[in-house]
């Protein structure tokens, strides 16, 4: 049955290899079951329900990717997107978490439509690579700011806006130690470095009396507080009954990030596995993208932010994973993780701060690909990258980046570099900014 489903011999692999690869991938990304509830829980969402939604959405995404697309790529709620959900849409723009889930749901449906009608390639090709790089790096900086803020490493200062916190106090010190552990373990090639760091820092917090022990294993909490709680009406219309233009940038931000993040991750993992064809294209790309879209829609219904493909899947590929059986194994492990809710509830924010900062570093590494000698390309990257954390909004960073790109190109006499889609989006974003965005 497994041979028929996953074509193991055709991919020169075995059940044992695939299962071990799945376990490796799970170890490297299992930190999301601790981080995601901690971030989304700050919106007022029930921590236990978000934990269950995270595990279920991840398992669903892995099963669809494995059984439908037959790729060794695991899925889970995306880092950066969960931060935008909490700190951008809910805390920043003042929407309820139910409305934010509605925006995630609509972005998932839009992703489904783009995948089904095969216009994804047109969109990907029409958005400048510099803007894509800037958005990824900007989200990284945004995550870094959230990490140091949550850990008390950076605090508010009325004179300088922000300032350095007291690093000698317990929580900031443990957060710094957690980050150092992740880097050291990753450098030594330890699989699951992020997960181990979170558990070690939580254990130290427990030993020092800063964390209360509530258990490790139990039956999963109820999903009811978040299940089907999305709001598709109130946030999308104004008091006058007209469409709320502000939500357009929110939906677009969710869609844009999962679109390019998914595409980039799939290509990177497939390249490492030697799955690209002679033209450098990924076979069955449509099925892989459809898997991402379906899991995002399912995640919104369950009660979590956008689900996407994880670059950590490369660790499973390095361990020999070549088929969807690897992804299915990860999905099974996410289902087993449902029984670890007491442990997830014990993890403090400072224990996950190092993980956020580590992911931020990985995302900012793409800046090395920017053509810094061409200021018409480099300047918009700087605008996007810096304005996301400074405005405390991924959506505002994207808006300002598109407007800056178009304006700079036109004023520099290079208007031909601006595609039709970038023109349209720039005009819409500029209108939103001018009209009160």
């Amino acid at each position: 049955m497994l041979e028929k489903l996953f074509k193991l011999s055709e991919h020169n692999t075995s059940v044992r290899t695939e299962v071990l690869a799945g376990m490796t991938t799970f170890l490297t990304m299992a930190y999301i079951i601790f981080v995601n509830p901690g971030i989304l829980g700050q919106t007022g969402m029930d921590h236990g329900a978000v934990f269950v939604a995270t595990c279920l959405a991840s398992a669903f995404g892995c099963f669809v990717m494995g059984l439908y697309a037959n790729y060794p790529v695991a899925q889970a709620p995306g880092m950066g997107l969960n931060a935008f959900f909490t700190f951008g849409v809910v805390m920043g723009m003042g929407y309820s978490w139910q409305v934010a889930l509605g925006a995630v749901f609509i972005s998932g449906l839009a992703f489904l439509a783009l995948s089904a009608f095969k216009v994804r390639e047109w969109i990907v090709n029409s958005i400048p690579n510099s803007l894509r790089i800037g958005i990824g790096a900007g989200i990284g900086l945004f995550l870094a700011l959230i990490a140091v803020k949550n850990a008390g490493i950076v605090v508010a200062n009325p004179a300088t806006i922000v300032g350095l916190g007291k690093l000698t106090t317990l929580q900031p010190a443990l957060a710094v130690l957690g980050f150092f552990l992740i880097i050291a373990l990753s450098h030594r090639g330890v699989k699951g470095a992020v997960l181990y760091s979170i558990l070690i820092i939580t254990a130290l917090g427990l030993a020092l009396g800063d964390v209360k022990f509530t258990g490790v294993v139990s039956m999963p909490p109820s999903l009811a507080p978040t299940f089907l709680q999305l709001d598709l009406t109130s946030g999308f219309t104004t008091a006058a009954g007209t469409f709320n233009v502000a939500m357009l940038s929110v939906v677009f931000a969710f869609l844009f990030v999962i679109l390019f993040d998914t595409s980039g991750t799939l290509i990177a993992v497939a390249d490492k596995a030697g799955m690209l064809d002679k033209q450098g294209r990924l076979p069955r790309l449509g099925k892989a993208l459809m898997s991402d879209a379906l899991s995002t829609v399912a995640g919104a219904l369950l009660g979590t932010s956008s689900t996407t493909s994880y670059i950590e899947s490369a660790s499973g590929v390095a361990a020999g994973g070549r088929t969807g059986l690897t992804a299915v194994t990860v999905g099974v492990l996410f289902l087993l993780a449902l029984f670890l809710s007491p442990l997830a509830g014990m993890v403090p924010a400072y224990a996950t701060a190092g993980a956020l900062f580590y992911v931020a570093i990985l995302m900012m590494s793409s800046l090395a690909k920017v053509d810094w000698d061409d200021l018409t390309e480099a300047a918009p990257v700087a605008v996007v990258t810096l304005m996301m954390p400074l405005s405390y909004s991924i959506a505002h960073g994207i808006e300002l980046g598109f407007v800056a790109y178009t304006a700079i190109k036109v004023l520099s006499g290079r208007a031909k570099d601006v595609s039709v889609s970038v023109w349209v989006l720039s005009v819409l974003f500029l209108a939103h900014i001018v009209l009160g965005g």
Side-chain angles (χ1 to χ4, degrees):
M1 181 186 68
L2 294 177
E3 173 63 36
K4 184 178 180 180
L5 274 175
F6 303 108
K7 299 179 174 61
L8 300 176
S9 58
E10 181 181 319
H11 290 87
N12 194 30
T13 186
S14 65
V15 173
R16 181 179 181 276
T17 298
E18 295 293 300
V19 171
L20 289 175
M23 294 173 66
T24 300
T25 297
F26 178 77
L27 273 178
T28 61
M29 63 183 290
Y31 64 85
I32 194 62
I33 66 176
F34 303 116
V35 177
N36 203 48
I39 292 178
L40 298 190
Q42 296 181 57
T43 66
M45 298 176 74
D46 182 82
H47 188 282
V50 174
F51 168 79
V52 174
T54 300
C55 293
L56 292 179
S58 302
F60 177 83
C62 291
F63 290 149
V64 176
M65 182 65 77
L67 296 171
Y68 178 60
N70 197 24
Y71 278 121
V73 179
Q75 298 191 317
M79 294 293 291
L81 287 165
N82 50 11
F84 174 52
F85 183 103
T86 297
F87 302 102
V89 182
V90 179
M91 293 184 175
M93 302 176 75
Y95 293 108
S96 68
W97 60 264
Q98 292 90 339
V99 169
L101 282 178
V104 171
F105 181 76
I106 291 175
S107 70
L109 291 180
F111 196 9
L112 269 175
L114 294 178
S115 302
F117 293 106
K118 299 181 179 179
V119 295
R120 181 202 66 87
E121 287 80 4
W122 176 76
I123 293 177
V124 170
N125 293 333
S126 63
I127 303 298
N129 188 52
S130 57
L131 282 180
R132 282 184 256 168
I133 291 173
I135 289 171
I139 293 173
L141 281 176
F142 186 57
L143 280 176
L145 178 59
I146 291 168
V148 294
K149 172 181 172 290
N150 286 351
I153 296 172
V154 168
V155 297
N157 186 310
T160 59
I161 303 177
V162 295
L164 188 66
K166 294 182 178 179
L167 301 186
T168 54
T169 56
L170 180 63
Q171 295 187 5
L174 287 178
V176 172
L177 175 60
F179 173 66
F180 290 165
L181 282 173
I182 292 173
I183 300 302
L185 293 173
S186 298
H187 177 70
R188 292 173 177 272
V190 176
K191 305 299 182 185
V194 176
L195 176 63
Y196 294 147
S197 171
I198 291 174
L199 294 177
I200 289 171
I201 298 303
T202 300
L204 286 175
L206 181 65
L208 295 171
D210 195 60
V211 174
K212 183 179 179 181
F213 182 75
T214 57
V216 177
V217 179
S218 75
M219 292 300 293
S222 172
L223 184 64
T226 61
F227 183 60
L228 299 181
Q229 295 299 309
L230 61 166
D231 184 348
L232 298 172
T233 55
S234 61
F236 296 86
T237 55
T238 63
T242 58
F243 177 72
N244 183 7
V245 180
M247 286 304 295
L248 182 64
S249 64
V250 173
V251 172
F252 179 76
F254 280 126
L255 174 62
F256 190 93
V257 175
I258 60 174
L259 178 65
F260 291 104
D261 183 55
T262 295
S263 302
T265 297
L266 288 170
I267 295 298
V269 175
D271 183 41
K272 189 175 182 66
M275 294 178 174
L276 301 180
D277 61 21
K278 295 180 179 179
Q279 287 74 41
R281 294 174 299 190
L282 181 64
R284 308 187 307 282
L285 176 60
K287 288 187 174 183
L289 291 172
M290 193 69 76
S291 302
D292 250 32
L294 287 170
S295 59
T296 291
V297 171
L301 295 173
L302 291 166
T304 185
S305 52
S306 305
T307 304
T308 187
S309 297
Y310 262 56
I311 193 63
E312 283 86 350
S313 303
S315 64
V317 167
R322 292 295 182 272
T323 74
L325 182 54
T326 295
V328 170
T329 300
V330 178
V332 171
L333 292 173
F334 269 118
L335 291 181
L336 293 176
L338 283 168
F339 300 95
L340 298 176
S341 60
L343 178 59
M346 287 166 52
V347 175
Y350 57 81
T352 59
L356 292 176
F357 208 85
Y358 170 70
V359 173
I361 292 173
L362 298 182
M363 297 181 76
M364 288 189 290
S365 65
S366 62
L367 289 173
K369 301 176 183 178
V370 176
D371 182 4
W372 293 103
D373 293 326
D374 183 353
L375 284 177
T376 67
E377 293 289 329
V381 172
V383 170
V384 175
T385 304
L386 293 173
M387 290 311 298
M388 280 189 189
L390 293 178
S391 67
Y392 216 68
S393 170
I394 291 175
H396 289 163
I398 290 176
E399 288 180 342
L400 293 169
F402 270 80
V403 172
Y405 182 88
T406 302
I408 289 170
K409 288 292 185 180
V410 171
L411 294 174
S412 301
R414 294 174 58 177
K416 63 180 181 180
D417 291 350
V418 185
S419 65
V420 174
S421 59
V422 173
W423 267 111
V424 171
L425 291 170
S426 297
V427 170
L428 289 173
F429 291 151
L430 181 60
H432 178 226
I433 293 170
V434 172
L435 296 175

